[in-house]
mmCIF file of all heavy atoms in Angstrom:
data_model
loop_
_atom_site.group_PDB
_atom_site.id
_atom_site.type_symbol
_atom_site.label_atom_id
_atom_site.label_comp_id
_atom_site.label_asym_id
_atom_site.label_seq_id
_atom_site.Cartn_x
_atom_site.Cartn_y
_atom_site.Cartn_z
ATOM 1 N N SER I 256 -24.469 -1.504 14.035
ATOM 2 C CA SER I 256 -24.230 -1.195 12.624
ATOM 3 C C SER I 256 -23.807 -2.459 11.890
ATOM 4 O O SER I 256 -23.159 -3.345 12.454
ATOM 5 C CB SER I 256 -23.155 -0.117 12.462
ATOM 6 O OG SER I 256 -21.878 -0.627 12.783
ATOM 7 N N LEU I 257 -24.182 -2.515 10.630
ATOM 8 C CA LEU I 257 -23.773 -3.591 9.728
ATOM 9 C C LEU I 257 -23.142 -2.948 8.510
ATOM 10 O O LEU I 257 -23.767 -2.114 7.844
ATOM 11 C CB LEU I 257 -24.969 -4.447 9.312
ATOM 12 C CG LEU I 257 -24.686 -5.503 8.245
ATOM 13 C CD1 LEU I 257 -23.753 -6.576 8.782
ATOM 14 C CD2 LEU I 257 -25.984 -6.124 7.735
ATOM 15 N N THR I 258 -21.892 -3.326 8.246
ATOM 16 C CA THR I 258 -21.184 -2.813 7.072
ATOM 17 C C THR I 258 -20.913 -3.958 6.116
ATOM 18 O O THR I 258 -20.351 -4.983 6.512
ATOM 19 C CB THR I 258 -19.862 -2.143 7.473
ATOM 20 O OG1 THR I 258 -20.135 -1.051 8.350
ATOM 21 C CG2 THR I 258 -19.126 -1.609 6.244
ATOM 22 N N VAL I 259 -21.314 -3.786 4.878
ATOM 23 C CA VAL I 259 -21.074 -4.782 3.834
ATOM 24 C C VAL I 259 -19.959 -4.272 2.940
ATOM 25 O O VAL I 259 -20.023 -3.145 2.432
ATOM 26 C CB VAL I 259 -22.348 -5.043 3.010
ATOM 27 C CG1 VAL I 259 -22.054 -5.993 1.853
ATOM 28 C CG2 VAL I 259 -23.440 -5.615 3.901
ATOM 29 N N THR I 260 -18.936 -5.075 2.780
ATOM 30 C CA THR I 260 -17.831 -4.706 1.892
ATOM 31 C C THR I 260 -18.200 -5.065 0.458
ATOM 32 O O THR I 260 -18.542 -6.219 0.191
ATOM 33 C CB THR I 260 -16.544 -5.445 2.289
ATOM 34 O OG1 THR I 260 -16.232 -5.128 3.640
ATOM 35 C CG2 THR I 260 -15.393 -5.037 1.390
ATOM 36 N N PRO I 261 -18.156 -4.113 -0.470
ATOM 37 C CA PRO I 261 -18.483 -4.457 -1.858
ATOM 38 C C PRO I 261 -17.599 -5.590 -2.359
ATOM 39 O O PRO I 261 -16.398 -5.617 -2.111
ATOM 40 C CB PRO I 261 -18.204 -3.153 -2.620
ATOM 41 C CG PRO I 261 -18.266 -2.083 -1.586
ATOM 42 C CD PRO I 261 -17.783 -2.706 -0.314
ATOM 43 N N ALA I 262 -18.216 -6.540 -3.044
ATOM 44 C CA ALA I 262 -17.489 -7.690 -3.579
ATOM 45 C C ALA I 262 -17.668 -7.719 -5.086
ATOM 46 O O ALA I 262 -18.800 -7.815 -5.577
ATOM 47 C CB ALA I 262 -18.002 -8.989 -2.952
ATOM 48 N N ILE I 267 -24.779 -7.645 -2.928
ATOM 49 C CA ILE I 267 -25.338 -8.097 -1.655
ATOM 50 C C ILE I 267 -26.481 -7.163 -1.297
ATOM 51 O O ILE I 267 -26.301 -5.935 -1.241
ATOM 52 C CB ILE I 267 -24.276 -8.102 -0.551
ATOM 53 C CG1 ILE I 267 -23.125 -9.040 -0.918
ATOM 54 C CG2 ILE I 267 -24.885 -8.519 0.777
ATOM 55 C CD1 ILE I 267 -21.955 -8.990 0.043
ATOM 56 N N ARG I 271 -32.463 -2.096 3.499
ATOM 57 C CA ARG I 271 -31.624 -0.897 3.540
ATOM 58 C C ARG I 271 -30.185 -1.168 3.121
ATOM 59 O O ARG I 271 -29.290 -0.371 3.393
ATOM 60 C CB ARG I 271 -31.653 -0.248 4.937
ATOM 61 C CG ARG I 271 -33.048 0.032 5.466
ATOM 62 C CD ARG I 271 -33.010 0.582 6.873
ATOM 63 N NE ARG I 271 -32.531 1.967 6.884
ATOM 64 C CZ ARG I 271 -33.301 3.046 6.799
ATOM 65 N NH1 ARG I 271 -34.622 2.900 6.674
ATOM 66 N NH2 ARG I 271 -32.790 4.255 6.837
ATOM 67 N N ILE I 272 -29.928 -2.290 2.437
ATOM 68 C CA ILE I 272 -28.598 -2.627 1.930
ATOM 69 C C ILE I 272 -28.717 -3.006 0.456
ATOM 70 O O ILE I 272 -29.558 -3.830 0.082
ATOM 71 C CB ILE I 272 -27.960 -3.809 2.695
ATOM 72 C CG1 ILE I 272 -27.602 -3.402 4.117
ATOM 73 C CG2 ILE I 272 -26.729 -4.341 1.973
ATOM 74 C CD1 ILE I 272 -26.392 -2.494 4.233
ATOM 75 N N ALA I 273 -27.909 -2.389 -0.385
ATOM 76 C CA ALA I 273 -27.782 -2.784 -1.793
ATOM 77 C C ALA I 273 -26.354 -2.443 -2.183
ATOM 78 O O ALA I 273 -26.051 -1.320 -2.593
ATOM 79 C CB ALA I 273 -28.783 -2.050 -2.679
ATOM 80 N N CYS I 274 -25.461 -3.394 -2.018
ATOM 81 C CA CYS I 274 -24.026 -3.127 -2.107
ATOM 82 C C CYS I 274 -23.405 -3.923 -3.249
ATOM 83 O O CYS I 274 -23.398 -5.157 -3.242
ATOM 84 C CB CYS I 274 -23.352 -3.494 -0.785
ATOM 85 S SG CYS I 274 -21.625 -3.004 -0.698
ATOM 86 N N GLY I 275 -22.846 -3.194 -4.234
ATOM 87 C CA GLY I 275 -22.178 -3.829 -5.367
ATOM 88 C C GLY I 275 -22.896 -3.506 -6.657
ATOM 89 O O GLY I 275 -24.037 -3.026 -6.678
ATOM 90 N N GLY I 277 -22.404 -1.137 -8.725
ATOM 91 C CA GLY I 277 -22.684 0.286 -8.866
ATOM 92 C C GLY I 277 -23.511 0.845 -7.727
ATOM 93 O O GLY I 277 -23.551 2.055 -7.513
ATOM 94 N N ALA I 278 -24.217 -0.006 -6.979
ATOM 95 C CA ALA I 278 -24.984 0.442 -5.814
ATOM 96 C C ALA I 278 -24.082 0.418 -4.586
ATOM 97 O O ALA I 278 -23.394 -0.564 -4.335
ATOM 98 C CB ALA I 278 -26.184 -0.471 -5.592
ATOM 99 N N LEU I 279 -24.097 1.507 -3.835
ATOM 100 C CA LEU I 279 -23.151 1.617 -2.727
ATOM 101 C C LEU I 279 -23.850 1.919 -1.399
ATOM 102 O O LEU I 279 -23.332 2.663 -0.568
ATOM 103 C CB LEU I 279 -22.103 2.695 -3.037
ATOM 104 C CG LEU I 279 -21.137 2.336 -4.171
ATOM 105 C CD1 LEU I 279 -20.201 3.506 -4.447
ATOM 106 C CD2 LEU I 279 -20.326 1.097 -3.810
ATOM 107 N N THR I 280 -25.050 1.366 -1.201
ATOM 108 C CA THR I 280 -25.672 1.434 0.117
ATOM 109 C C THR I 280 -25.149 0.243 0.898
ATOM 110 O O THR I 280 -25.756 -0.830 0.940
ATOM 111 C CB THR I 280 -27.203 1.395 0.000
ATOM 112 O OG1 THR I 280 -27.630 2.426 -0.885
ATOM 113 C CG2 THR I 280 -27.846 1.598 1.364
ATOM 114 N N CYS I 281 -23.981 0.421 1.477
ATOM 115 C CA CYS I 281 -23.237 -0.706 2.054
ATOM 116 C C CYS I 281 -23.178 -0.670 3.571
ATOM 117 O O CYS I 281 -22.514 -1.510 4.170
ATOM 118 C CB CYS I 281 -21.808 -0.728 1.486
ATOM 119 S SG CYS I 281 -21.739 -0.991 -0.301
ATOM 120 N N ARG I 282 -23.866 0.282 4.193
ATOM 121 C CA ARG I 282 -23.837 0.360 5.656
ATOM 122 C C ARG I 282 -25.216 0.760 6.144
ATOM 123 O O ARG I 282 -25.885 1.598 5.527
ATOM 124 C CB ARG I 282 -22.805 1.366 6.130
ATOM 125 C CG ARG I 282 -22.663 1.481 7.660
ATOM 126 C CD ARG I 282 -21.533 2.438 8.010
ATOM 127 N NE ARG I 282 -21.319 2.534 9.444
ATOM 128 C CZ ARG I 282 -21.861 3.460 10.233
ATOM 129 N NH1 ARG I 282 -22.689 4.369 9.714
ATOM 130 N NH2 ARG I 282 -21.595 3.497 11.520
ATOM 131 N N ARG I 283 -25.629 0.170 7.228
ATOM 132 C CA ARG I 283 -26.892 0.557 7.826
ATOM 133 C C ARG I 283 -26.796 0.467 9.340
ATOM 134 O O ARG I 283 -25.959 -0.255 9.900
ATOM 135 C CB ARG I 283 -28.044 -0.309 7.325
ATOM 136 C CG ARG I 283 -27.976 -1.766 7.723
ATOM 137 C CD ARG I 283 -29.367 -2.376 7.747
ATOM 138 N NE ARG I 283 -30.224 -1.744 8.758
ATOM 139 C CZ ARG I 283 -31.522 -2.003 8.895
ATOM 140 N NH1 ARG I 283 -32.103 -2.855 8.084
ATOM 141 N NH2 ARG I 283 -32.224 -1.399 9.846
ATOM 142 N N LYS I 327 -20.695 -4.946 13.090
ATOM 143 C CA LYS I 327 -20.450 -6.184 12.352
ATOM 144 C C LYS I 327 -20.193 -5.869 10.878
ATOM 145 O O LYS I 327 -20.748 -4.906 10.333
ATOM 146 C CB LYS I 327 -21.622 -7.152 12.490
ATOM 147 C CG LYS I 327 -21.776 -7.702 13.908
ATOM 148 C CD LYS I 327 -22.765 -8.850 13.988
ATOM 149 C CE LYS I 327 -22.802 -9.427 15.399
ATOM 150 N NZ LYS I 327 -23.734 -10.569 15.505
ATOM 151 N N THR I 328 -19.343 -6.690 10.292
ATOM 152 C CA THR I 328 -19.024 -6.528 8.877
ATOM 153 C C THR I 328 -19.279 -7.845 8.154
ATOM 154 O O THR I 328 -19.115 -8.929 8.717
ATOM 155 C CB THR I 328 -17.561 -6.111 8.661
ATOM 156 O OG1 THR I 328 -16.701 -7.110 9.225
ATOM 157 C CG2 THR I 328 -17.270 -4.772 9.314
ATOM 158 N N VAL I 329 -19.655 -7.718 6.896
ATOM 159 C CA VAL I 329 -19.961 -8.878 6.062
ATOM 160 C C VAL I 329 -19.381 -8.636 4.673
ATOM 161 O O VAL I 329 -19.393 -7.508 4.172
ATOM 162 C CB VAL I 329 -21.490 -9.098 5.947
ATOM 163 C CG1 VAL I 329 -21.819 -10.155 4.899
ATOM 164 C CG2 VAL I 329 -22.071 -9.505 7.290
#
Side-chain angles (χ1 to χ4, degrees):
S256 71
L257 173 67
T258 300
V259 175
T260 302
I267 300 174
R271 307 176 73 91
I272 291 286
C274 188
L279 291 177
T280 306
C281 297
R282 182 176 183 266
R283 66 154 297 173
K327 292 191 176 181
T328 59
V329 171

